[in-house]
Amino acid sequence: MTDMPSVRVEGASFSYPGGKAGVFDITLDIAPGELVVCIGPSGCGKTTLLKLITGLLPCSAGRVWLGGEDVTTASVRSRQCGIVFQSYALFPHMSVWENVAYPLRVRAVDRAERRRQAEAMLDMVGLRGYAERLPAALSGGQQQRVALARALVFKPRTLLLDEPLSALDAATRISMRDEIRRIQKQQNIASLLITHDRDEALSLADRVAVLRDGRLVQIAPPQELYDRPADAFVASFIGRTNLIDGRVVAPDAVDTAIGRIVTPAHAMPMGAAVRLLVRPERIEPSSKETGENIFAATVVHDRFFGASREIELSVGQGMLKIDTTVRGAIAHVHLPRQAVQFLPTH
Amino acid sequence: MIPRWITVAYFVYLASPIALLFIGSFGDLWLNSLLPTGITVKWYLEVAADPNFRRAFMASLFVAVMTSAACVVIGLPLAYAVFRAQSRRVRAAVRVLYQLPVAMPALVLAFGFILVFSSDTLPWLGSIWLLVAGHIVLWLPYFLQTVVADMQRLGLRVLEDAAETLGSTPLQRFFHIVLPALRLSVLSGLIIVVALSIGEFQFSNLIAGFLNRTYPVVLLQAFYGATGFACAATVILLALALIASITGAFAAQGAARPSVAGDER
């Protein structure tokens, strides 16, 4: 039991009638206390995956386990998933504490005990003193906290959050992000959070799962995902990129539009078409004019953000984006050899 | 400037017949002059004392209340089914149903009822229950429209999903979530139904039996008699309809802003 992941999805598929949309053959484990963030463009199947775990949609293939129990055919209410919906889905006619206590009410907990537990949860999410209000009298961030308290009060087997921050303004979003992480760690509950915001994914997650067109492309800790993306889609979805197409000319060199780039040693055959990834912040302005991977560059766009500059450069026959803290004029750039990665070409 | 004058002109156009009715109902004598002479309440007393009007008043209330009850019993589950319907065909059929009372004159329905219910197998023409049945056909779509629109606005589907994941049974969801969330919508839907039902003339005039004519039907007869009497009888109908629509407006406002109720607590 202790070795079992809290959530296991194995080869789960679902397709909506008529359309191609859905999810296909998704396999995913969430360890106890782990927070997995699922990210992808809209329509990639993130919410569908969440509904398969909760049982709001049935798997057409594959299995779902919760806490070591196969729940593939179990009813929604028996699965005991705590869910925070995108719209919060607070019951408008119930007060804050009645909302939080609702899972206990349907479990026939007596009223005084319900009230006590709901108050304790409200304390934890920082809403002491709001018990008697109606949801409509709360701000978006406060409603979010009520939804979180309600999803946790019945000690669910997993916590699922469907774009919980998308309806909040920028400032509230960042403080709520930290708050969700704090509460999730404190409760030590296996959690899946869905988002389309890469900052949210990278800063919150123990592991990030990238979904595209209903398929799981890569699942990895944030750093690994950023440093070793599985393909060009993951690379550009999770950060800014320079994607450079070229042809292998030596065991450690590739000819590209910007010139001959020296790469880490590779095993590609001579003449093979390859795609290189270089992150903009890894490219340095250079004071030297010649040397390994040093190219003459002309500034095309220069955006100043205070702490850093995002610059687009014309290099050889191609373009490069760089992020730098250097203030002065830029005539040459250096691509460190170890900053160059190969991506699979499809 | 011009829009303001148009507004004023429209208001005068709208209000003057009502104002005339009102003045006429309190006027003692009104013969060949612009305005009546003398002030009296005798017309109201006469209407109140007239057994035909008393019976018609009760018949109208009875039909309105029964139609309302049927809307709740039939309409609420139906609205819920329409709201949850997945199939495009069902939704298309429902849209047609919504438009039907607008497209089909009550006269057509009445002739249909006369044809069917004057036969020897179904000789129910003249029964008040037939009148109720006709009103249900006429007003149920308006009730459905109101309630289904509110279900969508409230996001009832997600509320139910949430309740289900929190561990509730279908029956608990219906009584804990669906019914309480919809109580104001049902109320405002019913008030529309009552207002429409009380004022209905075409259908009731053709279908009602002599002993259960509704208020508007009897009202028509009044215009063959004294002007003041007819005016007073009409003002009573107008007051009923106004009460219904004002209550309806407040109920709808309450439904749209549940926070107001919360602040008062």
Side-chain angles (χ1 to χ4, degrees), chain A residues 284-313:
Chain A
E284 306 151 353
S286 170
S287 50
K288 282 189 259 173
E289 296 187 0
T290 53
E292 184 184 284
N293 284 354
I294 291 179
F295 303 97
T298 318
V299 173
V300 178
H301 269 295
D302 186 348
R303 297 190 205 89
F304 179 63
F305 288 99
S308 69
R309 288 157 82 194
E310 285 180 14
I311 303 170
E312 278 168 48
L313 300 162

Side-chain angles (χ1 to χ4, degrees), chain B residues 64-228:
Chain B
V65 168
M66 283 301 148
T67 308
S68 299
C71 278
V72 173
V73 174
I74 306 168
L76 200 55
L78 199 57
Y80 189 67
V82 168
F83 172 68
R84 299 286 302 218
Q86 302 275 359
S87 129
R88 277 198 191 147
R89 278 187 198 166
V90 172
R91 290 198 189 151
V94 167
R95 268 199 294 280
V96 172
L97 184 72
Y98 280 173
Q99 297 307 321
L100 220 53
V102 184
M104 183 188 71
L107 205 62
V108 175
L109 183 71
F111 286 148
F113 266 51
I114 290 173
L115 270 179
V116 174
F117 295 107
S118 59
S119 61
D120 284 341
T121 32
L122 302 166
W124 298 337
L125 208 62
S127 138
I128 195 155
W129 293 106
L130 200 60
L131 201 55
V132 172
H135 275 233
I136 294 172
V137 175
L138 287 173
W139 313 132
L140 187 63
Y142 292 89
F143 179 82
L144 284 180
Q145 234 165 356
T146 311
V147 174
V148 172
D150 266 8
M151 287 175 169
Q152 280 154 355
R153 191 181 51 75
L154 282 169
L156 195 65
R157 190 67 181 266
V158 182
L159 294 184
E160 282 187 275
D161 280 355
E164 190 176 4
T165 62
L166 295 171
S168 62
T169 63
L171 216 59
Q172 284 172 329
R173 285 200 287 287
F174 188 74
F175 286 107
H176 295 164
I177 312 298
V178 178
L179 271 191
L182 285 177
R183 56 177 197 265
L184 286 173
S185 318
V186 169
L187 188 63
S188 62
L190 284 186
I191 284 158
I192 292 171
V193 168
V194 168
L196 288 169
S197 171
I198 287 178
E200 208 288 328
F201 175 76
Q202 278 189 57
F203 177 83
S204 308
N205 189 38
L206 288 167
I207 291 301
F210 186 76
L211 287 178
N212 48 48
R213 289 178 301 171
T214 58
Y215 198 87
V217 177
V218 177
L219 186 60
L220 181 68
Q221 321 285 315
F223 277 88
Y224 299 116
T227 314

Side-chain angles (χ1 to χ4, degrees), chain A residues 76-77 81 83 85 89-93 95 102-103 105-107 134 136 150 154, chain B residues 158-159 161-169 172 176-177 180-181 258-259 262 265:
Chain A
V76 173
R77 45 188 293 264
C81 299
I83 304 178
F85 289 84
L90 299 180
F91 306 129
H93 55 286
S95 69
Y102 188 70
R105 179 175 169 196
V106 297
R107 285 170 177 78
L134 279 185
R150 186 180 68 178
F154 62 105
Chain B
V158 182
L159 294 184
D161 280 355
E164 190 176 4
T165 62
L166 295 171
S168 62
T169 63
Q172 284 172 329
H176 295 164
I177 312 298
S259 60
R265 285 206 333 179

